[in-house]
Amino acid sequence: MHKVIIIGSGCAGLTAAIYTARADLKPLVLDGYEPGGQLALTTDVENFPGFPDGILGPEFVERSRKQAQRFGADFRAGAVSSVDLSKRPFKIVAGKETYEAETLIVAAGASARTLGLPSERELLGHGVSTCATCDGAFFRDRDIVVVGGGDTAMEEATFLTRFGKTVTLVHRRNDFRASKIMLDRARAHEKIKFLTPYTVEEIHDVKNKSVEIIKLKNVETGEVQEITAAGLFVAIGHDPNTKVFKGQLDMDEAGYLLTHDGPKTNVPGVFAAGDVQDHHYRQAVTAAGSGCMAAIDAERFLAAEES
């Protein structure tokens, strides 16, 4: 029996682990599908307070992990396959193990949708990004490509005009899912050029570990063309890692967990933190903040039961 189990080891989960460990709750952290979360796939983190020279994403994760372990957090590998939140203690199944917890902090994160290209995976963090606010500043006065057709793509393209020399928005259809106001704003910007209906076929150069040329294919004609760019931003949405909680925790249409009074879910004793419940900010520092909130509320929940 664990006083608290934390699902996910990204920024929110690690912060929750540090706080609950320091409160002597001996948290068990289940790594999840992506140990370290999206930070583990990031190269330079330059916008987290306290690192004036920046820090590599994997190093940030490793430091945070050691910090939590120093205070007594226990980490186990494996993804959660099922949960039973119908009564306490909650039951969590990960791999071949079944765990029981008095409280649960869900910090499973959200996975950015990708194009599915091997070169995209190879160059993630080396010119390919899924977060303009995280990485836009690395591409000052460079040519940038954004892929997508929704509000997120329009927002990211518009944001990237602050840094890029040009921004080319590539979409596989001639029509867009984006709202009219967002689309009009992007179309009106002198730095943004639209390329439709095109798909990204390949990203070069994997050998050089940098984005240099992007190969595109016209969906209607089959015509192939190559454009030069230093950065490729994939803005086709995120999927929250919440499937195992369906029917047990309240969530919105997109699958993000709904919280109230901070990190509380509809089930007493279950708290949510980070990108699993935040599709608006999606930053390391906001994830850390919500992980702290979830940990403090879990601690207070347990203390109230004991008193």
Side-chain angles (χ1 to χ4, degrees):
M1 171 70 69
H2 299 272
K3 286 187 180 296
V4 58
I5 286 180
I6 300 165
I7 298 176
S9 56
C11 215
L14 291 171
T15 304
I18 291 166
Y19 271 78
T20 50
R22 289 188 76 246
D24 202 29
L25 296 178
K26 298 178 174 58
L28 172 67
V29 184
L30 301 175
D31 273 331
Y33 287 104
E34 295 175 344
Q38 297 203 46
L39 269 185
L41 305 174
T42 306
T43 46
D44 294 308
V45 178
E46 291 191 334
N47 55 6
F48 201 96
F51 298 94
D53 299 318
I55 184 172
L56 292 174
E59 184 186 351
F60 184 93
V61 169
E62 187 57 29
R63 283 195 192 187
S64 302
R65 195 180 182 97
K66 285 179 179 175
Q67 191 174 356
Q69 288 172 325
R70 175 190 161 203
F71 296 115
D74 182 19
F75 286 80
R76 304 276 175 90
V80 173
S81 56
S82 70
V83 296
D84 182 359
L85 308 179
S86 60
K87 61 182 187 298
R88 295 176 62 225
F90 305 123
K91 286 186 170 57
I92 298 101
V93 178
K96 295 179 180 177
E97 300 292 327
T98 299
Y99 304 97
E100 292 189 341
E102 292 181 43
T103 61
L104 178 66
I105 295 174
V106 182
S111 301
R113 292 178 198 148
T114 58
L115 305 172
L117 301 171
S119 55
E120 172 193 33
R121 184 75 183 179
E122 290 280 335
L123 292 171
L124 199 60
H126 299 277
V128 174
S129 173
T130 58
C131 179
T133 46
C134 310
D135 300 326
F138 296 123
F139 300 94
R140 291 183 188 277
D141 301 318
R142 311 292 294 278
D143 295 315
I144 299 170
V145 170
V146 175
V147 182
D151 278 352
T152 300
M154 301 306 143
E155 189 176 354
E156 302 242 310
T158 304
F159 175 81
L160 288 166
T161 59
R162 302 181 189 186
F163 308 104
K165 183 167 68 176
T166 66
V167 177
T168 301
L169 201 145
V170 175
H171 185 45
R172 60 187 174 177
R173 291 191 292 267
N174 288 315
D175 56 324
F176 295 87
R177 288 176 290 106
S179 58
K180 187 177 184 301
I181 188 169
M182 295 294 288
L183 183 59
D184 289 347
R185 188 177 298 163
R187 285 197 187 281
H189 203 289
E190 59 183 12
K191 279 190 180 181
I192 299 176
K193 181 176 79 171
F194 284 72
L195 259 183
T196 63
Y198 280 90
T199 55
V200 176
E201 294 293 292
E202 195 60 70
I203 309 160
H204 301 290
D205 191 348
V206 171
K207 280 185 182 176
N208 293 339
K209 275 289 183 184
S210 64
V211 172
E212 296 168 12
I213 294 171
I214 298 167
K215 182 179 173 184
L216 304 172
K217 183 179 181 180
N218 187 302
V219 175
E220 294 175 354
T221 66
E223 171 214 354
V224 173
Q225 66 166 291
E226 293 183 342
I227 59 174
T228 57
L232 174 71
F233 287 81
V234 182
I236 55 178
H238 290 73
D239 292 314
N241 301 315
T242 57
K243 285 181 182 176
V244 296
F245 305 105
K246 279 190 176 169
Q248 301 189 73
L249 294 180
D250 290 345
M251 52 186 76
D252 65 14
E253 290 179 359
Y256 288 91
L257 298 184
L258 297 174
T259 53
H260 64 91
D261 300 319
K264 297 175 184 176
T265 69
N266 59 296
V267 176
V270 179
F271 308 90
D275 289 8
V276 79
Q277 52 85 49
D278 169 27
H279 52 81
H280 184 64
Y281 296 105
R282 296 201 301 264
Q283 298 299 301
V285 71
T286 51
S290 66
C292 162
M293 292 160 63
I296 290 172
D297 278 6
E299 179 190 357
R300 289 175 178 170
F301 179 88
L302 291 167
E305 286 201 326
E306 291 171 4
S307 60

